[in-house]
Each structure stands twice: as C-alpha cells, then as structure tokens.
Amino acid sequence: MSDVVSSQAPNMSRGLTPGAPARRDIGIKRRYAAERRFRAYGMAAVIFGLVFLIILVSTVVRNGYTAFVQTSIALPIEFTEKVIDPIGKGASDPKVLISANYTALVRDAVVKALGIDPSNRALVRQAMEMVSDGARIALRDKVVADPSVIGKTVKVTFLASANIDSAYKGQIDLTADEKDRKVSDQQLAWMRQLAAAGALHEAFNTGLFLSGNSSRPEAAGLGVALIGSLYLMLTVLVLALPVGVAASIYLEEFAPKNRLTDLIEVNINNLAAVPSIVYGLLGLSVFINFMGLPRSASLVGGLVLSLMTLPMIIIATRSALRAVPPSIRSAALGLGASRMQMVFHHVLPLAMPGILTGTILGLAHALGETAPLLLIGMVAFVANYPRGPLDPSTALPVQIYMWASEAERAFVERTSGAIIVLLFFLVAMNIGAILLRRRFERRW
C-alpha cells in the first residue's frame, strides 16, 4: 500500500491525475515510435528500390537473352560455273567473281530444299524471304576467298531472316491471324519442314560480338561498338589518370594553402557535378570546330570523356592521399627524405589502392555515357571496323540508343542484349574496383 502511494505521489505533485503516465514516459514512447517509423520508412525505401531494380533487370534479361542465339539455315549450294564465271575470266579478273549472281545460287538451293516449282514466283519470293539478304554476300566472300569451290556442291550455313528467327524462338504469336503477323502459314510450314530435316537450327550468336552495325537485325552486331568503346577507355586512361594524379599530388602536397587553391578546389568539385551534355558541347566547339579533329572519331570521344572524368579522378586521388596518416610523412622527412621522395616513395604507394578504385569507377561511369558522344557525331551508322582512333566509330551506349530507335521487332531483342553486355562490363569493372580495394587496403 505504501508503494502505491509513493508511485502516485510524483504525479499528484505535478498536477496529474492518479494513474496517468508521467510526461517523461510519454516522451520516451514518442521517441521510440518515431524511431520505429523511421526504420519502417527506410525499409520501405529499400524495398521500393529493390522492386524496381528487379523489374528492370528481369525485363532486360527476359527480352535480351535470346539475342545470344541465332537461327541459321544450312543448305547445299551448287557453285555452278555457269552462274559464277560464265565467260571463264574469273582467274584473271576478280571483278567477275565479285559481281556474279549469287542470289540465283541461294534461290536454287532454297527451291530445291523446299521442293518448290521454280516457275511459281510467289512461292519462290516467300521462300527467299526466309533467308537473310546477307546470304549472297556470304557466298561472294566464300568464292573470292577460295575460287576452287566453283563447280562443287558445298553445304553453307546462312542466317535466317529476322522474322523466321523470331518465329523459331517463339517471339511471334503464331495463333494470331495470318494477316496480323509477318510470317505466313506457308513459311511456318517450310520452317517446320527445315527444322525436321535438320537444316534449321539455333547456335550461339557470334555475330552479335563480331559484326558491325546493319540495317538487317539478324546481321547487326556490336563489334564496331566494342572496338570504339575500347579506344575510348584507353584514351581516358592514358590522358585522365596521369593528369588527374599529378594535379592531385600538387594540390594536396605542394601547393600553398591560399585563396587561389581554395578557388581551384571549389571549381573542381563543381566540375564533377556539371551535366555530361555540357562536356559534349565543349568537345564539339573545341576539338571539332576549333581544332578540326574528325567527327565520329574515338579519339574525340575519349578526349571529351577525359574532361568529364578528370574531376572525379582528382577528387578520389586527393581523398586517398589525405587518408595516408601524417606520421608516414613525418617519419620519411625525419629520416632525411626530400619532400619529393616522401611523396613518391611513401605516400603515393600507400594511396594507390584508393586511386585505382576511383579511376576504375570513373572509367565505368565514362563507359556508360551517351549524351556527350551524340553531340560529337558518334551516332553515325558505322558497319566496318575502325582501323585507328581517328576512324569513324561508335560506342556501346550509343549503339543501344540507335537500336532502341529502330521500329523492327527484332531490334528490341538486340537492344536488350546490348544492355546486358554493357551491364556485364560495368559490373565487372565495379567488382574489379572492390577486389583491388580489399586486396591492397591498409588499416591504420
């Protein structure tokens, strides 16, 4: 009884009714409730982001994984001399072999394989639509490379057309009315006939990585874009890394601390936040209009991306240099090392893991940039491999942008496949940065 009276006494002394909670207890409950709400908001934000990430990745993978396989048709081709070299001058005049009617060879093989009457032009036209237009180019290259095939019958594998490729992969609703799809019932019957005979099959799509751009979806590839991206990254690495590290060392270790260096530091931080399209306009004005460098060249793209990446490398390098304890510097100077020896023999090696991590992340950021490359003309249609950094080229994100604007259904698959390739490189570079940091990281 005495305990009950003593517990109610403080409330009565503060003017509260007996049994009411103390003001301090109410404040604690509110604080705990606010903490629970904050945790719930944070958890909801994380789940919200994860859901959209899963939707994005699953959509890209679902639409793009089929781009890594390609439907092909294998047919025996009769390289008749009557069609390829009717006048017998192919050995002395290469133009005869180049300009031969290879379409007729493909047509004869298709007609024979499907058992079509050659005089029925409508059926022959439908049958020829099942084979990619690049088949005649493949035969021409084969004959030019090896003229001894003339007069022989050789089994050659062609790319199927984009519509047959999509139908064979199950990307076309075959239950829809014939007039609502691009593949006719007759072509579907021929497709099944060829598949049953083993002439139609799927294989890994090496052309996706080796071929250049093409107006035919089945022949379009990322080869030129991969080479262009490689030139871009090499240019950024060669230019931005040494310049950024040298500037960081000077600003952090040698430059006097005054208003001028403070102004430079503020501007470097601001440059890191400038939109990338501004760098594209700068590159267009300086490198192309003023210096006269060629448009669509990988070198110009690399210079623009170097300007964009340089502030990021400087900021990361200065942070890595600041993370080295001052005792390292004092010990080196105390043993008689010069200031230059202190920096390059002791501080820089210890800061190198952080510098490499920042550089790799900067390169990964540059690899995914599109806007500045569009402004300097790297959006051009390039089908042939660039022989150097001054030749016209394109890059992975620009190629994705170009394919995404195409109306053909097959380019949707190619776009998602290219996104998967780009994400693979970005993830690989980020994993490399994490491994480097863990491998060389030192705890003081």
Side-chain angles (χ1 to χ4, degrees):
M1 185 64 180
S2 60
D3 295 338
V4 174
V5 172
S6 61
S7 62
Q8 292 178 349
N11 291 341
M12 295 177 65
S13 63
R14 295 172 189 168
L16 300 176
T17 57
R23 182 175 301 172
R24 184 176 59 119
D25 295 338
I26 295 175
I28 292 176
K29 288 181 180 179
R30 287 179 178 173
R31 192 173 63 189
Y32 286 163
E35 185 176 342
R36 286 194 296 271
R37 285 197 300 274
F38 179 77
R39 288 183 179 180
Y41 295 154
M43 186 64 69
V46 171
I47 294 174
F48 187 75
L50 284 177
V51 168
F52 275 91
L53 178 62
I54 292 172
I55 292 174
L56 172 66
V57 173
S58 61
T59 303
V60 170
V61 172
R62 187 177 66 252
N63 291 332
Y65 78 95
T66 53
F68 296 94
V69 292
Q70 180 70 40
T71 305
S72 303
I73 301 176
L75 297 174
I77 300 295
E78 296 179 10
F79 292 93
T80 57
E81 189 173 4
K82 182 180 178 181
V83 175
I84 300 175
D85 189 12
I87 56 178
K89 293 186 177 179
S92 58
D93 188 2
K95 293 182 179 178
V96 175
L97 301 182
I98 294 175
S99 59
N101 187 8
Y102 294 104
T103 304
L105 298 182
V106 179
R107 184 185 61 235
D108 294 342
V110 171
V111 166
K112 187 175 181 180
L114 298 177
I116 303 173
D117 181 5
S119 61
N120 191 334
R121 294 185 177 182
L123 286 181
V124 172
R125 186 172 61 253
Q126 281 196 60
M128 286 296 290
E129 289 175 353
M130 299 179 63
V131 182
S132 172
D133 291 339
R136 58 183 177 82
I137 300 175
L139 292 186
R140 182 199 65 187
D141 295 342
K142 189 175 185 62
V143 171
V144 171
D146 184 15
S148 65
V149 298
I150 299 176
K152 299 179 182 177
T153 300
V154 180
K155 195 171 187 179
V156 181
T157 301
F158 306 110
L159 295 178
S161 67
N163 292 329
I164 295 298
D165 180 52
S166 298
Y168 194 65
K169 291 176 180 176
Q171 297 170 345
I172 295 179
D173 183 11
L174 302 182
T175 61
D177 193 76
E178 184 179 7
K179 64 181 180 181
D180 295 331
R181 46 183 158 85
K182 293 186 176 181
V183 182
S184 67
D185 291 339
Q186 180 62 66
Q187 289 175 328
L188 289 178
W190 287 335
M191 185 183 75
R192 297 186 183 101
Q193 177 185 340
L194 291 173
L200 190 71
H201 62 276
E202 286 183 346
F204 182 72
N205 188 8
T206 55
L208 180 66
F209 299 94
L210 301 179
S211 301
N213 200 6
S214 174
S215 58
R216 301 185 300 274
E218 69 275 4
L222 296 169
V224 174
L226 290 173
I227 297 296
S229 296
L230 178 63
Y231 282 137
L232 289 178
M233 293 301 102
L234 287 177
T235 305
V236 174
L237 190 63
V238 170
L239 293 179
L241 179 60
V243 174
V245 172
S248 303
I249 291 175
Y250 175 75
L251 290 174
E252 195 64 32
E253 303 291 341
F254 297 99
K257 305 300 179 185
N258 52 33
R259 291 184 178 181
L260 178 61
T261 54
D262 291 342
L263 180 65
I264 292 174
E265 183 174 356
V266 170
N267 279 282
I268 289 174
N269 294 333
N270 290 332
L271 285 174
V274 171
S276 59
I277 196 167
V278 177
Y279 287 101
L281 292 171
L282 176 65
L284 177 65
S285 302
V286 176
F287 300 126
I288 294 179
N289 294 339
F290 179 72
M291 299 178 64
L293 293 176
R295 294 177 66 90
S296 307
S298 302
L299 178 62
V300 180
L303 291 172
V304 173
L305 295 180
S306 297
L307 294 176
M308 191 188 71
T309 311
L310 193 58
M312 301 173 61
I313 294 178
I314 292 176
I315 293 172
T317 303
R318 295 190 70 181
S319 299
L321 293 173
R322 288 172 186 167
V324 178
S327 58
I328 301 293
R329 297 175 174 82
S330 301
L333 294 174
L335 291 175
S338 66
R339 197 169 183 82
M340 185 78 75
Q341 289 173 328
M342 178 267 291
V343 171
F344 286 98
H345 295 179
H346 301 278
V347 177
L348 188 59
L350 294 175
M352 194 55 71
I355 297 173
L356 291 177
T357 302
T359 303
I360 293 174
L361 295 180
L363 289 175
H365 179 66
L367 180 62
E369 277 297 335
T370 308
L373 303 181
L374 296 179
L375 289 176
I376 61 170
M378 291 196 73
V379 71
F381 185 94
V382 183
N384 299 321
Y385 279 95
R387 290 170 296 179
L390 289 175
D391 286 345
S393 180
T394 184
L396 268 176
V398 180
Q399 189 66 70
I400 293 171
Y401 171 80
M402 294 171 64
W403 283 351
S405 60
E406 296 285 348
E408 290 279 345
R409 165 66 182 82
F411 274 115
V412 176
E413 176 191 71
R414 285 289 195 278
T415 303
S416 298
I419 293 175
I420 293 174
V421 174
L422 178 60
L423 289 178
F424 172 79
F425 282 112
L426 294 178
V427 171
M429 294 177 77
N430 280 276
I431 291 176
I434 293 172
L435 293 178
L436 279 175
R437 186 170 65 243
R438 290 187 176 181
R439 173 68 177 83
F440 298 105
E441 186 179 30
R442 292 196 178 186
R443 298 183 183 277
W444 311 102

